[in-house]
Amino acid sequence: MESEAGTLHNLSIPALGIDKDIPPKGKVQVELTFPASGVLAFSCKFHGPLGMNGQLLAGDAAPSEAR
Ligand SMILES: [Cu+2]
C-alpha cells in the first residue's frame, strides 16, 4: 500500500492482526491471506471513525454489510 498523503495513516486488518503505520508519502508491504468469505475489512486506526475504512475483496466476493 502506498500513501499519497502528507499525514500519518495506518493499515489495520483486525482479522489478520495487521496494524501498520504508513508514513507520509510512504509505502508498506503486507502479506494477506484471504478468508473463505473473500472479504477483509480494513481501516486506518487514526481516521477509521471518520470514514477511512473499507473492504478488500477477493475473486467475485461481494462487499459485506458494515458492522
Ligand atoms: Cu488515516
Side-chain angles (χ1 to χ4, degrees), residues 14-56:
L16 300 180
I18 289 173
D19 178 345
K20 286 193 180 257
D21 287 351
I22 309 170
K25 308 282 185 186
K27 293 180 187 179
V28 295
Q29 195 159 342
V30 295
E31 272 192 38
L32 304 175
T33 301
F34 278 87
S37 67
V39 180
L40 278 177
F42 69 90
S43 67
C44 168
K45 74 178 177 184
F46 307 120
H47 311 110
L50 303 175
M52 192 171 285
N53 58 74
Q55 294 176 356
L56 299 169

